[in-house]
Amino acid sequence: MSTSKNNSTVKAMILAAGRGNRLRPITDSIPKPLVELCGKPLIEYHIEKLAQAGVSQIVINHAWLGHKLEETLGDGSRWNIQISYSAEPEGGLETAGGIINALPLLGENPFLLINGDVYCEMDYRGLVAKARAMQNESSSTLLGHLVVVPSPEHNAKGDFGLNQHQRLEPQGEFTFAGLSVLSPKLFANMEVGFIPLAPILRDAMKQGLLTGELETGLWSDIGTLQRLQQTERLLEQSN
């Protein structure tokens, strides 16, 4: 008896290979996703939310001090999940290169992609449902679904647009939240190398192959010491 695609496993990848120069000196001794926000490593917020959303297999890529990620997070058993690691050469492979390198661990189905250096209060169950829907729509040409947020001051010009039909556009007033569902087909016939993700996404947008949604809840790109401190203050005020 065949198994319904609705029951198929949805995997996730957390991007954790960045050097984090703007968070130095903290990141001189630990990888950026292990920087603590209110006493907890950033990456653990994502792991907990993914586990709560029903994701049981997570792939984490790493380059800078990657062994410390493996030592800290282990095999994922403390969250009742399985963590696999995708090691990259020193300096990393850029975002798309890291994804392509990890595809053997991610498989053939759409997966969640999470930036390890953002904080977001969004519930990931909606993204898991989107990944399952993309799996079931075998005839669909949709290659991805991205979350965007109102652009913060440090990215005032924005990254992408979102039209009335929920299709993403290559330029616009919104900032990519670093949260998405992507199909491996987006990277078809691409070899592992130092490859950025944004040009690939913009090419797909021009063809109408990516949808999006706007998240208006608390979100922060923890890219600098100042933004780390600002986010901690926001969280302390909300508790």
Side-chain angles (χ1 to χ4, degrees), residues 69-148:
L69 277 165
E70 297 197 22
E71 291 167 1
T72 302
L73 305 175
D75 62 2
S77 55
R78 93 175 97 134
W79 296 282
N80 294 314
I81 60 167
Q82 176 189 338
I83 295 178
S84 303
Y85 296 94
S86 179
E88 298 179 14
E90 184 176 353
L93 293 169
E94 259 287 4
T95 305
I99 295 168
I100 296 164
N101 189 54
L103 285 179
L105 296 171
L106 290 165
E108 298 179 354
N109 288 325
F111 57 90
L112 274 65
L113 183 72
I114 310 291
N115 283 17
D117 58 357
V118 301
Y119 175 82
C120 182
E121 294 191 339
M122 181 182 184
D123 190 328
Y124 291 168
R125 285 178 289 189
L127 293 178
V128 171
K130 188 68 180 180
R132 288 209 167 95
M134 286 172 61
Q135 288 180 19
N136 293 334
E137 296 167 7
S138 57
S139 61
S140 172
T141 57
L142 186 65
L143 294 182
H145 179 81
L146 277 60
V147 179
V148 295

Side-chain angles (χ1 to χ4, degrees), residues 180-200:
S180 58
V181 177
L182 299 180
S183 168
K185 295 176 183 176
L186 186 64
F187 309 97
N189 302 316
M190 294 185 188
E191 300 288 336
V192 175
F194 190 82
I195 307 171
L197 180 60
I200 296 172

